Amino acid sequence: MTTAKGKTMTKFAWQLRSQLHLLTGFIAGFVCAFVLLLHIYDVRNGINCSTTTAISSSSSISSFIGSSAASMSLAQFKNELQWKVPPARVLCMVLTCPEYVERYAQHVYATWGRRCTKLVFVSSEDYEPLGVVQVVDADGGSYHDLWNKTREGFRHVWQEYGEEYDWFLKADDDTYVIIENLHHMLSAYDANMPLYFGYQMRRYNVSYMSGGASYVLSREALRRFMKQAYGFDQICPEARKMGIEDFYMGICLQNVGVHLIDSTRAVADDDKPKFFPLDVESFLYKSNESIPTWLQEMSVSEIDTGLNCCSNYSIAFHYTKPERMYLYEFLLYHLRVFGQKWSAEQLPRRWTFSEMVEMYPLENNSEILDLRQMSEKPDNF
Ligand SMILES: *[C@@H]1O[C@H](CO)[C@@H](O)[C@H](O)[C@H]1NC(C)=O
Ligand SMILES: *[C@@H]1O[C@H](CO)[C@@H](O)[C@H](O)[C@H]1NC(C)=O
Ligand SMILES: *[C@@H]1O[C@H](CO)[C@@H](O)[C@H](O)[C@H]1NC(C)=O
Ligand SMILES: *[C@@H]1O[C@H](CO)[C@@H](O)[C@H](O)[C@H]1NC(C)=O
Ligand SMILES: *[C@@H]1O[C@H](CO)[C@@H](O)[C@H](O)[C@H]1NC(C)=O
């Protein structure tokens, strides 16, 4: 991951040495120390916000800024979209931080973010050109404050837009989302039902949706989170450092009667995952060496690898570097395979409330109903 940076720095070191042929050893030593410092800085930077782990930055990011996608206005872009059905209204809440606005957020804005009915970036500092909103204090936006940022982000979104949208997607600034496929899945559901979709995981016998893979709340789920869970510390963890954002969210939602719908079970006749906590190629390679054990242990559904890993109507991929976002844009929305004909597509049938309850019964939350009484729990409780 740091190879590119390492190479640049070695070149830098070499140039320095050739210019100052005296004191070569001293300078080399100095440069090494400098590289080390930079590296440490970069790693710290890498965990500054969102669930992103340190992905080294691209040196050519500024070349994207002027791309045609980036310079097209949101309204222009939406006019170009041809929806086959009137889509539900999806608000996308993307977590970012000041350091990542240029590095990541702007590329979400220039690619998939434009397909959201409403795109809101939440951060610890405003940045108007992209619609980035400050929802936590300037010193409260680091990775350790992720739980607070998510809570405050949802509070902001609920206060400002709660009534105007049907579905609320939470994603990171290094997630790539195929909004059309999200509509496809959601079209079977009514946003007035309390629902929570994503890649289901399990820890301490508590189910929740992976945060990095992104998850979706119905309007009713968000209403319950805000009215019945937020601020009720006995059933929903309060703001604190080092909170486990996705795990906490799962606890809060279960305690207010929200139904968990793992994406492997969300669409009839399609039992493959649609939200991915890793980059998609980790699953596509037939050997499962790229699947870490923690994921295998925490996943609720069996992990398949190879071309059958993933739904043909997949929705979200985590750990997407900015360059990848443009690659996916190209492959999904531009590239044609000459002579290819798709068979007719159908939207899934809409479930009734009783069908939904039967398919996706509420989790047994007796162990987490009072967080002070939890027998086995993470350290930070
Ligand atoms: C959470 O964020 C709010 C808004 O910035 C702030 O007032 C509060 O102190 C934060 N709480 C913690 C524990 O960081
Ligand atoms: C999870 O539940 C099972 C049985 O329901 C129990 O044996 C196990 O100890 C529990 N594990 C944790 C971590 O709570
Ligand atoms: C990989 O596949 C092997 C053989 O099927 C299995 O035993 C192992 O648990 C898998 N590991 C992971 C991390 O999925
Ligand atoms: C996914 O697409 C491939 C290629 O078109 C097709 O062979 C496969 O049957 C599809 N899978 C499902 C479950 O429809
Ligand atoms: C829920 O779990 C608790 C303990 O884990 C158990 O005693 C209780 O019977 C379970 N309730 C249902 C409805 O399964």
Side-chain angles (χ1 to χ4, degrees):
M1 277 185 185
T2 49
T3 350
K5 177 151 263 160
K7 268 187 200 148
T8 330
M9 289 311 299
T10 319
K11 197 169 151 214
F12 176 44
W14 183 82
Q15 284 171 345
L16 266 182
R17 258 188 282 172
S18 60
Q19 278 166 21
L20 312 167
H21 29 90
L22 289 173
L23 303 172
T24 308
F26 170 76
I27 288 166
F30 172 77
V31 168
C32 282
F34 184 61
V35 168
L36 192 67
L37 275 175
L38 254 189
H39 179 72
I40 291 166
Y41 175 75
D42 207 34
V43 169
R44 278 184 43 227
N45 229 11
I47 55 161
N48 235 341
C49 76
S50 77
T51 53
T52 312
T53 52
I55 294 175
S56 69
S57 68
S58 154
S59 54
S60 57
I61 269 179
S62 52
S63 66
F64 290 120
I65 300 173
S67 76
S68 62
S71 55
M72 199 191 280
S73 81
L74 216 53
Q76 267 177 314
F77 188 87
K78 286 202 173 121
N79 282 339
E80 304 223 331
L81 284 175
Q82 297 287 314
W83 295 103
K84 292 199 191 77
V85 284
R89 299 163 301 175
V90 174
L91 183 145
C92 305
M93 178 177 97
V94 181
L95 267 63
T96 189
C97 55
E99 300 87 327
Y100 281 179
V101 163
E102 192 180 320
R103 209 154 136 192
Y104 289 96
Q106 63 154 322
H107 304 295
V108 168
Y109 184 92
T111 59
W112 66 267
R114 296 171 169 257
R115 301 186 184 94
C116 304
T117 322
K118 173 80 184 175
L119 174 63
V120 180
F121 289 98
V122 299
S123 179
S124 54
E125 187 182 291
D126 287 330
Y127 182 67
E128 216 175 305
L130 297 190
V132 181
V133 181
Q134 175 179 11
V135 296
V136 286
D137 298 337
D139 61 356
S142 80
Y143 178 75
H144 303 312
D145 299 296
L146 198 51
W147 172 229
N148 204 19
K149 202 198 278 183
T150 306
R151 285 172 95 237
E152 296 304 313
F154 277 129
R155 191 170 64 88
H156 168 79
V157 155
W158 176 251
Q159 275 176 357
E160 298 291 320
Y161 311 107
E163 294 307 315
E164 294 164 46
Y165 298 92
D166 303 307
W167 304 99
F168 298 84
L169 169 89
K170 191 239 64 155
D172 290 341
D173 52 10
D174 62 343
T175 311
Y176 186 89
V177 183
I178 302 159
I179 296 289
E180 292 85 345
N181 290 350
L182 177 62
H183 282 292
H184 173 258
M185 179 186 80
L186 293 176
S187 64
Y189 300 90
D190 183 337
N192 294 313
M193 299 178 191
L195 310 172
Y196 167 37
F197 299 85
Y199 184 96
Q200 194 170 335
M201 315 236 266
R202 207 166 163 79
R203 279 172 90 182
Y204 300 95
N205 281 349
V206 178
S207 285
Y208 63 97
M209 301 302 175
S210 155
S214 84
Y215 54 78
V216 183
L217 305 184
S218 65
R219 181 175 50 243
E220 175 61 13
L222 181 57
R223 193 189 66 78
R224 291 187 187 197
F225 176 71
M226 288 313 306
K227 301 273 182 193
Q228 299 166 18
Y230 181 104
F232 295 85
D233 302 342
Q234 195 175 321
I235 58 162
C236 180
E238 62 192 352
R240 60 168 73 113
K241 293 270 174 200
M242 309 289 286
I244 313 165
E245 172 257 323
D246 47 9
F247 179 72
Y248 286 4
M249 200 67 198
I251 290 178
C252 302
L253 292 171
Q254 281 171 53
N255 280 339
V256 294
V258 173
H259 297 258
L260 274 71
I261 307 184
D262 182 33
S263 67
T264 59
R265 304 184 60 236
V267 176
D269 303 323
D270 179 359
D271 61 358
K272 298 294 176 188
K274 295 162 192 68
F275 295 81
F276 295 90
L278 309 174
D279 54 307
V280 67
E281 59 266 47
S282 301
F283 296 89
L284 283 167
Y285 191 48
K286 191 64 199 161
S287 147
N288 68 6
E289 280 161 25
S290 48
I291 308 293
T293 5
W294 63 261
L295 185 61
Q296 201 195 14
E297 284 165 8
M298 290 186 194
S299 284
V300 164
S301 59
E302 192 90 2
I303 299 176
D304 209 349
T305 52
L307 281 172
N308 278 325
C309 63
C310 314
S311 169
N312 286 354
Y313 290 94
S314 287
I315 295 169
F317 307 130
H318 194 206
Y319 296 138
T320 308
K321 289 186 272 185
E323 301 90 321
R324 275 293 156 97
M325 297 208 175
Y326 296 92
L327 175 66
Y328 294 161
E329 284 289 301
F330 177 73
L331 294 179
L332 290 166
Y333 298 100
H334 293 237
L335 186 70
R336 305 281 170 92
V337 177
F338 182 73
Q340 184 79 260
K341 284 204 184 80
W342 302 107
S343 55
E345 292 178 307
Q346 275 183 340
L347 283 174
R349 181 178 67 84
R350 188 167 276 217
W351 301 112
T352 64
F353 185 73
S354 53
E355 282 171 334
M356 185 281 289
V357 172
E358 194 181 328
M359 288 274 295
Y360 316 105
L362 290 173
E363 302 282 315
N364 179 351
N365 68 336
S366 65
E367 290 286 318
I368 52 170
L369 206 44
D370 182 348
L371 299 181
R372 296 164 309 186
Q373 309 282 317
M374 254 178 105
S375 50
E376 285 190 73
K377 52 193 174 187
D379 293 340
N380 192 34
F381 247 84

